[in-house]
Amino acid sequence: MRKTLIAANWKMHLLPVGARALVAGIREAIDPVAATLAKDREVMVAPPAILIPAVAQALAGSSMLLGAQNMHYEDKGAFTGEVAPPMLQAYGVTHVIVGHSERRHIFHETDELINKKVIAALQHRMTPILCVGETQDEHDGGRALDVVLRQLQRGLENVGDEHVPSVAIAYEPVWAIGTGRTATPEQAESIHGAIRGAILERYGRGRADAVRIIYGGSVNDENVDSLVSKPDIDGALVGGASLKADSFARIVRARTC
Ligand code: 13P
């Protein structure tokens, strides 16, 4: 059985005081039910890099996992402004978001660079959350599936077959991010099904059944149940609605079937 993954992407929000308060608020709501939640889901928060130490402290003793929003693929070196995988590991980071559409579009990250980051995360035993998704234009032009499957294939290039189940895929249609226009559960399910189909074809049934494919793009406490109850939607990557403790705590408790 695939564990549902509910992941918070705080993007470039919050200061240390607010970050600690947010974690405390989420914990107050979900710590009492942590044992039940842990049976079938993982919960992760990805703060801005500089807040990782503060959030790591605030998470002490919690079952919630710590993620990063980005990282460099080298362990060290002359890469001003970058954060290396071992630095993240030193603070207990277990998941790293890779190839988010904001990184692709604002910071011009290529599939090739993203692929290096996926491989680096796996080498450091972190779960890469490989983001794929089409823009509004690509969506309108009927090219969504082409774009998503190409990003998937390039993102997984040279990843050993046996490591593919350790990658989480996040389908985030760019037109749904921060817009309040969520993909319908049926729209998302059809892309998720195609992603799983492509993985099945290339890597076989066992790996396709094991890999998690989560949805992101205007997920909130009202639409999360209908999304994650679809068979191929294994969780959510949540932006705006993860910045409020009560709404994220509700999303964490999503009904998955
Ligand atoms: P929103 O939930 O704010 O639409 O952001 C989605 C996202 O980009 C998560 O990575």
Side-chain angles (χ1 to χ4, degrees):
M1 190 194 66
R2 296 186 291 272
K3 271 200 171 184
T4 299
L5 172 60
I6 305 288
N9 176 6
W10 291 357
K11 306 195 178 182
M12 197 173 72
H13 291 288
L14 299 171
L15 296 170
V17 171
R20 284 196 199 94
L22 178 54
V23 171
I26 300 167
R27 290 191 64 170
E28 199 178 303
I30 71 167
D31 277 2
V33 288
T36 314
L37 293 174
K39 283 183 197 145
D40 70 348
R41 66 195 68 196
E42 282 176 3
V43 182
M44 182 279 269
V45 292
I50 197 167
L51 297 181
I52 284 175
V55 171
Q57 261 184 357
L59 286 174
S62 158
S63 57
M64 253 189 293
L65 301 166
L66 182 57
Q69 299 175 16
N70 180 35
M71 69 172 193
H72 198 273
Y73 57 86
E74 293 283 2
D75 278 7
K76 61 182 174 183
F79 302 103
T80 301
E82 292 290 308
V83 174
M87 298 170 186
L88 298 176
Q89 282 181 305
Y91 289 97
V93 168
T94 54
H95 292 61
V96 57
I97 300 169
V98 175
H100 189 278
S101 72
E102 287 145 22
R103 305 258 6 133
R104 289 178 189 264
H105 297 120
I106 306 171
F107 301 103
H108 310 295
E109 289 198 5
T110 61
D111 285 318
E112 194 189 357
L113 176 66
I114 291 162
N115 174 245
K116 286 184 178 168
K117 295 181 179 193
V118 169
I119 292 172
L122 290 167
Q123 279 169 345
H124 289 87
R125 303 201 189 298
M126 289 185 277
T127 300
I129 301 178
L130 169 62
C131 299
V132 296
E134 82 284 6
T135 63
Q136 178 79 65
D137 273 1
E138 291 160 343
H139 181 74
D140 294 345
R143 299 196 303 280
L145 202 51
D146 280 357
V147 169
V148 163
L149 295 183
R150 192 181 61 238
Q151 289 173 343
L152 177 75
Q153 185 239 318
R154 292 187 180 166
L156 293 179
E157 201 128 344
N158 298 320
V159 170
D161 291 14
E162 69 281 17
H163 296 302
V164 167
S166 309
V167 179
I169 313 294
Y171 171 54
E172 294 210 312
V174 180
W175 49 269
I177 295 177
T179 59
R181 286 181 52 214
T182 326
T184 64
E186 291 69 31
Q187 270 176 324
E189 173 67 9
S190 112
I191 302 275
H192 282 231
I195 292 174
R196 200 175 307 284
I199 293 175
L200 187 147
E201 217 171 274
R202 167 72 178 78
Y203 301 98
R205 163 76 59 193
R207 290 177 181 129
D209 283 346
V211 80
R212 287 176 302 174
I213 308 169
I214 66 175
Y215 170 80
S218 296
V219 173
N220 60 38
D221 51 5
E222 285 173 12
N223 60 27
V224 68
D225 292 340
S226 61
L227 287 160
V228 300
S229 56
K230 291 288 181 193
D232 286 311
I233 304 184
D234 305 313
L237 182 52
V238 189
S242 73
L243 293 168
K244 289 198 205 94
D246 52 351
S247 69
F248 188 63
R250 168 63 188 84
I251 291 168
V252 163
R253 294 193 303 267
R255 277 189 293 278
T256 55
C257 49

